[in-house]
Amino acid sequence: MRAFATRLIDFTELNADKIAAQWVRDVKTNIKTYSYHDAPAEKIMRQAIEFYHSFRQMFFDDSPYEQAEEIFEKFADDNYQNGIPLHETMYAMILMRRHIWLYAEFQSIVISETEHRKAIESLSRTILMFDYIMYVIARKYWKIMKLELQEQSGRSTQ
Amino acid sequence: MQSYGTKIIDLAETNAKDIARQWAADVRKHKRTPTYHNIPEDEVIDQAIIFYMHFRQMFYTDKPYEAAKSFSVKYAEDRYKEKIPLQEALYALILIRRHLWLYAEFQATFITTLEQRQATESLNRTILMFDYVCYQVTERYQELMKAEVDSRLGIIKTLTMDHTEKGEKSFYKTGIIIVALIIAGALTYYYHAMLGTATLFTHLFYIPIILSAMWWRRGGVYISVFLALMLLLSHAIFLEGVPFTDDVVRSFMFVVIGAVMDRLMDGIRKVEGIYKQLTT
């Protein structure tokens, strides 16, 4: 798997700007990511590029969950502070994943039959990472909200 | 589309109970789903069985988003009622998907090159459905949270006139406060100037104080200070020789109540804001 995955990762990193630009176009028009429609394009573009660059780190790490925690707790925090609802953040992440594969398919990086098999393995690995990401983001949103409520009730009873 | 998914769907339907049992064993000890640990297996297992039996319907449709919704909404509502945190409900779903593919791998369902291709297509379709399910479950959870907060804050929301139109709301609020202040002024005048007594019926003064605290930020303090000054001024003009003590205590209490109400309303607004941010 490693050789194909490396190619996919290299490809994603090399084309991070282009993939991110397509993602930005998508989130800014998709009905499921409404809060992104008025968000400054450069800001969310930076977010996507950062994500595509950190993809290698997560992909090849022996503990992808810990990596997901490190990277995406901050991502969730930023989105929460920017007022993006959780379901939209989740969908934006789903679109980030889809755009990697859409771009890879469009550029035909999977050609031979053997590559097809390896592509499935890479796809499975990508999905595993995204499963962790979804969990980490949902948990972080929940934590921030709980913390804010606790702080608030603490202040009210002081 | 019908052909490539047949294998995985047949597998899910025929072995729904076995796969669900393996999933239940996993979810009941997994560190990312701690709330499930104390739920009896019989209660947990149905969640996965329902999904696996629903799988064909979601798989073979031209409108997968709508088909997924019928499952997602029920799943979210049930888990919310069981007080399962959202991230755990989502992770349990992820495990439902994983266990289906683990079972398929274990049963060596996809061996030949053609079958491998079918597996890729089936996997892509499954992931698409799960993307929708995750989005819909999250969205529904937030709707339920918002509804719960709304119902808990029901009386306050009615009093704050959150359901009326903005222009109309502002008109009514200002009107009510002006009328209440006129009544308070008239009462003060009647007691101080006509009856010549400091024994004033001040309970009614709390109505504009409380309402203005609910309607405007710092409204409670401004109105209470206004009423306190009015009371003290009226006392100075009409009640010469009568000690100020009672009216000073009353005035002080107006301001205290106004400030406390402002503080409480700040808290409620903040809670509402947090939920709104998550749900709108």
Side-chain angles (χ1 to χ4, degrees):
Chain A
M1 178 181 97
R2 182 101 191 180
F4 176 81
T6 308
R7 203 141 67 85
L8 176 74
I9 301 296
D10 287 346
F11 178 81
T12 307
E13 262 193 325
L14 201 67
N15 297 287
D17 290 8
K18 288 172 200 144
I19 306 173
Q22 290 187 357
W23 173 80
V24 169
R25 265 200 298 279
D26 200 353
V27 285
K28 281 185 93 50
T29 51
N30 197 303
I31 51 166
K32 296 187 191 83
T33 50
Y34 189 77
S35 304
Y36 280 88
H37 293 194
D38 297 322
E42 313 82 61
K43 195 178 167 185
I44 56 171
M45 176 96 170
R46 238 189 346 263
Q47 216 179 24
I49 292 173
E50 252 173 56
F51 165 78
Y52 290 127
H53 281 303
S54 53
F55 193 56
R56 174 190 298 275
Q57 206 180 334
M58 270 185 75
F59 202 94
F60 292 122
D61 202 282
D62 289 335
S63 351
Y65 178 74
E66 280 70 24
Q67 280 291 327
E69 263 183 332
E70 209 179 299
I71 301 167
F72 289 96
E73 288 215 337
K74 163 98 180 57
F75 180 90
D77 199 22
D78 289 347
N79 272 22
Y80 183 88
Q81 303 309 337
N82 289 332
I84 303 197
L86 177 57
H87 59 289
E88 294 191 30
T89 296
M90 299 280 237
Y91 208 78
M93 291 309 304
I94 287 169
L95 292 177
M96 272 192 194
R97 186 194 69 218
R98 277 193 205 157
H99 276 278
I100 297 177
W101 287 95
L102 273 176
Y103 201 80
E105 252 183 7
F106 185 69
Q107 301 289 322
S108 310
I109 75 155
V110 183
I111 306 161
S112 67
E113 205 56 61
T114 340
E115 278 179 336
H116 207 81
R117 197 180 274 265
K118 286 171 187 164
I120 300 173
E121 287 164 14
S122 296
L123 178 62
S124 299
R125 177 85 178 160
T126 311
I127 289 158
L128 174 79
M129 289 185 325
F130 271 85
D131 289 349
Y132 292 152
I133 292 170
M134 294 299 192
Y135 176 82
V136 167
I137 289 176
R139 192 187 57 181
K140 183 64 182 176
Y141 258 77
W142 186 253
K143 263 191 204 166
I144 303 173
M145 197 183 70
K146 238 167 104 175
L147 201 73
E148 277 199 12
L149 289 174
Q150 270 167 5
E151 271 175 15
Q152 190 51 46
S153 58
R155 270 206 297 272
S156 300
T157 51
Q158 270 166 18
Chain B
M1 189 202 296
Q2 187 92 9
S3 57
Y4 74 74
T6 312
K7 274 199 165 202
I8 193 75
I9 290 167
D10 287 347
L11 182 95
E13 277 182 357
T14 322
N15 303 285
K17 214 164 183 177
D18 281 346
I19 310 173
R21 196 167 289 126
Q22 289 181 4
W23 167 80
D26 194 359
V27 85
R28 290 182 72 244
K29 60 178 169 47
H30 203 291
K31 64 176 180 180
R32 280 176 214 122
T33 49
T35 316
Y36 281 85
H37 295 192
N38 298 321
I39 306 174
E41 191 190 355
D42 304 350
E43 285 175 35
V44 173
I45 210 164
D46 281 344
Q47 292 177 28
I49 293 176
I50 291 170
F51 175 81
Y52 295 132
M53 300 313 279
H54 209 86
F55 195 52
R56 182 183 297 274
Q57 195 189 330
M58 286 197 275
F59 208 96
Y60 292 134
T61 174
D62 293 334
K63 292 178 175 167
Y65 186 79
E66 281 70 25
K69 199 155 195 173
S70 61
F71 167 80
S72 311
V73 168
K74 174 96 173 64
Y75 179 85
E77 285 170 359
D78 290 346
R79 298 302 78 79
Y80 189 84
K81 239 181 265 168
E82 290 159 7
K83 301 209 179 305
I84 308 265
L86 174 62
Q87 70 270 21
E88 291 188 39
L90 289 176
Y91 209 77
L93 270 172
I94 287 166
L95 292 177
I96 286 179
R97 186 193 70 219
R98 272 194 213 158
H99 274 276
L100 175 62
W101 286 93
L102 273 175
Y103 199 85
E105 254 178 56
F106 187 70
Q107 301 285 316
T109 313
F110 304 105
I111 303 163
T112 65
T113 311
L114 178 69
E115 284 171 342
Q116 284 284 338
R117 261 189 190 279
Q118 287 178 342
T120 319
E121 283 160 8
S122 300
L123 183 60
N124 279 334
R125 182 80 175 166
T126 311
I127 288 159
L128 175 78
M129 287 178 345
F130 268 86
D131 287 350
Y132 289 152
V133 169
C134 282
Y135 173 80
Q136 290 162 347
V137 167
T138 310
E139 190 181 35
R140 186 67 191 138
Y141 248 76
Q142 290 169 114
E143 283 169 4
L144 292 166
M145 277 160 64
K146 189 174 186 294
E148 196 180 325
V149 173
D150 278 351
S151 82
R152 286 189 187 182
L153 299 177
I155 299 165
I156 291 170
K157 281 179 106 53
T158 308
L159 286 172
T160 52
M161 296 191 197
D162 275 358
H163 307 294
T164 43
E165 293 293 322
K166 215 173 179 182
E168 193 186 356
K169 187 159 69 180
S170 166
F171 173 78
Y172 284 131
K173 283 176 179 175
T174 315
I176 291 169
I177 293 298
I178 288 172
V179 170
L181 291 179
I182 290 170
I183 293 171
L187 272 175
T188 312
Y189 178 78
Y190 178 73
Y191 276 87
H192 284 179
M194 313 281 279
L195 301 181
T197 173
T199 319
L200 188 59
F201 190 66
T202 50
H203 299 65
L204 283 174
F205 286 34
Y206 291 107
I207 295 174
I209 293 173
I210 291 168
L211 288 179
S212 54
M214 285 199 293
W215 291 341
W216 299 292
R217 209 170 278 273
R218 304 282 157 263
V221 170
Y222 294 141
I223 295 294
S224 61
V225 168
F226 173 81
L227 287 171
L229 288 176
M230 185 184 76
L231 189 66
L232 294 173
L233 195 68
S234 167
H235 187 112
I237 296 169
F238 300 113
L239 298 174
E240 226 174 294
V242 180
F244 263 94
T245 327
D246 286 352
D247 280 337
V248 168
V249 171
R250 284 184 190 116
S251 301
F252 176 72
M253 284 313 293
F254 292 163
V255 180
V256 168
I257 297 295
V260 169
M261 275 302 296
D262 276 348
R263 187 78 193 226
L264 282 174
M265 286 311 294
D266 276 350
I268 289 168
R269 281 187 200 108
K270 176 88 179 174
V271 172
E272 262 196 297
I274 293 167
Y275 277 96
K276 257 185 201 156
Q277 184 173 358
L278 272 174
T279 53
T280 51

